[in-house]
Each structure stands twice: as C-alpha cells, then as structure tokens.
Amino acid sequence: MKKLLIKWLACVLVCCGGMAWCGGSVVPVGGYLYANENKVDDAKGSLEVHFTTPSPKRMVVALGRKYRKTRTSRDGTTEDQRENFKPRLAKMSQNGTVAFFAKLPPDYYDLVVIESDEMMLYEGLLLHDEYSEEEKLPAEKLKEFTAQIGKSLGIGHGLIGRWEQFFDEKRIERVEMAGRQAGVFLQQMRLGVALAESGAKLNGCIHSIDIVWVEQTTDAENTWQVITRQQLYRDEIVSRNFFTYRHVEALHGIRVGTRAKVLHEPIALPKAD
C-alpha cells in the first residue's frame, strides 16, 4: 500500500453556519459531502445491501479505498474529477432495509450506517491503508497512543489551537495504527451556540462523523499532527448526545466489480444494550 500523502496540510474546517439546516433528514445538510450521481463517471458496478431490521431514517455511506485522500492526491484535479472521489450515499427503500449504490467503479468499499432517529452509528472501515491485524499494537499501547491523539485533537482539554475548534465535544471511537501514523474514527458535536447565515440561532446540535489521519511528531510532548480528514456525516439534529457506536465487521471490505452485486444475506445491526 502507498504511504499517506504527507504533503496534505493539517485540515482545519470552521463552519460558518451558512446553510439551511434540516436536521435528521435522510439526506442531511452535509449532502455536499457525497458524490452527485448525475456528475460521476459512468460505471457498471452497483451494490445492493439488505438489513434485518427497518429504520426509516437510516443512511448508508460507502467509502471506496482506491481514491481516498490518503491514496490519491487532489492536486491538479478538476471539480468533476473530485466528484468521483467523494463517499457515496445509498438510495434507501423498503423502510430502510435496502440500500442501493449505483455507478460504482471497481473497488473495495467500507460502509457506515447512521440512524439519527435511534442515535445509532455503525461502521466497518479500514481506517489506515497499511494497518495489519497481525501487527496491531497491544491494547495498553494503543490506549496510550489514543489518549495522546485525543489530547492533540483537544478532547477534554479545552486547549486553544487544537484541531476543529468549532466542535466543542469530541469522542474517539476507534483507532488503527501503522508505524507512526494512525486512522481515527471520530464523533464531534457543537453544543455551544451556532448561527445560521441569517444570524438566527440554530436550535439543534450539529453532529459530525469523521475519519482523521494523524502522524506522531518528534517533539517531547507526544503530540500528533493532523494529515487530512474525511467527513462522512454532518447534520443538525435534536439530540445533544453522541451516537451509540458499534463496529460491524460485515460492513468491511465489500468488493464490487464491473457488474451488479447483491448481498443476499441481510446484515444484522446490533442495538444499544
């Protein structure tokens, strides 16, 4: 696998509130995060995924591996080309039990499932291109590095100048390490006041779900530098709590070729305890 593209600068995105929020929608305010099916290149591959339980506000996002920011630079690309690099948002049917992705190029796809009505979050992501299950760190070492990464991101420390200050609450759900780099699956919330473009106060809570890629620095403070970030979800919803999170292996590494693929075995998504 290719090394992470270190030339990417630390990603700092400050929200200006310049959108008409419609929280909890099946296609959220952050719909710009996802590829526009009418603008992507034609491709013969497609994917149909079934779930064992319904959920009327279930969203399913597919992230291909070939064109991730850690593998394919956006430098020198056109807006039309970059449309192909974005995550894909499924068209849902049958009360949320069927997710369909059209025009997928051949690749391995990892899925993220978001249920804003029940505040459940599921993922099966490969977080780092060079992660190896056989070489994963001992639990205590991974816990130590996760705490260092959390401090560098500003989690629970209120430090000025940390990453993504717009979001005042953050929680790391999972980390995959490879050498001095890590892929981090992260939830973020804006509990403080947020304003729309009109200046009106937004009543709900802005949630963000991200993969953040970080690299260990060589300083004595055990800090980690953000290399780049992929936002997978952004919306204003009523809940001021994090999504309940579950890792689901069945959402990991689904191969799509040049024809339609249907996962006939429905995926069971575990509910909160």
Side-chain angles (χ1 to χ4, degrees):
M1 289 186 176
K2 297 179 180 178
K3 286 287 184 182
L4 290 175
L5 303 175
I6 303 303
K7 62 183 176 180
W8 283 85
L9 298 176
C11 176
V12 179
L13 178 64
V14 178
C15 174
C16 63
M19 303 174 190
W21 297 92
C22 53
S25 55
V26 174
V27 180
V29 175
Y32 61 89
L33 301 174
Y34 312 114
N36 184 330
E37 188 178 309
N38 296 322
K39 295 182 178 180
V40 298
D41 295 341
D42 285 331
K44 296 181 179 179
S46 66
L47 175 63
E48 182 176 297
V49 181
H50 294 245
F51 299 96
T52 59
T53 55
S55 180
K57 288 190 176 181
R58 177 176 287 149
M59 289 174 52
V60 184
V61 178
L63 186 62
R65 297 181 181 178
K66 183 177 180 181
Y67 296 114
R68 290 188 186 182
K69 294 178 180 179
T70 52
R71 289 181 171 223
T72 303
S73 172
R74 272 57 173 165
D75 289 352
T77 60
T78 66
E79 184 177 346
D80 288 344
Q81 288 172 325
R82 291 192 294 274
E83 199 69 35
N84 293 288
F85 302 159
K86 292 181 178 181
R88 304 297 180 100
L89 182 64
K91 292 182 178 178
M92 305 302 298
S93 62
Q94 300 184 37
N95 202 20
T97 59
V98 178
F100 180 74
F101 300 91
K103 298 171 72 172
L104 294 181
D107 202 350
Y108 285 91
Y109 292 87
D110 301 323
L111 305 184
V112 178
V113 180
I114 302 129
E115 298 177 358
S116 60
D117 51 349
E118 300 183 25
M119 289 304 292
M120 295 297 301
L121 170 62
Y122 311 91
E123 59 87 12
L125 294 163
L126 175 68
L127 296 178
H128 193 289
D129 296 333
E130 296 182 2
Y131 173 75
S132 169
E133 185 70 23
E134 292 74 22
E135 299 177 2
K136 68 179 181 180
L137 295 175
E140 283 302 311
K141 194 64 176 177
L142 182 60
K143 183 178 179 181
E144 176 187 343
F145 283 147
T146 300
Q148 293 175 5
I149 293 168
K151 184 176 181 180
S152 294
L153 297 179
I155 297 177
H157 296 274
L159 300 174
I160 301 300
R162 296 315 191 201
W163 181 78
E164 259 293 27
Q165 295 177 67
F166 176 77
F167 293 103
D168 43 31
E169 291 291 328
K170 308 167 191 282
R171 186 168 75 187
I172 292 174
E173 300 293 359
R174 192 164 65 88
V175 174
E176 286 181 351
M177 292 282 303
R180 299 175 63 86
Q181 298 173 347
V184 181
F185 188 69
L186 178 75
Q187 291 196 64
Q188 302 187 90
M189 290 190 295
R190 171 71 176 190
L191 296 181
V193 174
L195 302 178
E197 189 175 44
S198 64
K201 179 181 176 182
L202 298 176
N203 293 321
C205 176
I206 302 173
H207 287 250
S208 180
I209 297 169
D210 307 82
I211 306 176
V212 180
W213 289 278
V214 296
E215 183 174 52
Q216 192 176 31
T217 66
T218 56
D219 61 31
E221 298 180 0
N222 297 316
T223 57
W224 293 71
Q225 173 185 334
V226 174
I227 300 168
T228 190
R229 167 262 203 115
Q230 178 70 64
Q231 196 172 32
L232 299 169
Y233 174 85
R234 185 190 185 97
D235 203 2
E236 183 207 2
I237 57 180
V238 174
S239 177
R240 297 175 67 84
N241 298 307
F242 287 114
F243 287 89
T244 299
Y245 163 80
R246 298 286 184 270
H247 176 72
V248 178
E249 190 62 29
L251 302 174
H252 175 82
I254 301 169
R255 185 179 180 276
V256 175
T258 57
R259 61 183 67 183
K261 180 164 189 172
V262 180
L263 298 185
H264 293 287
E265 184 67 29
I267 296 175
L269 299 174
K271 296 302 179 183
D273 298 331

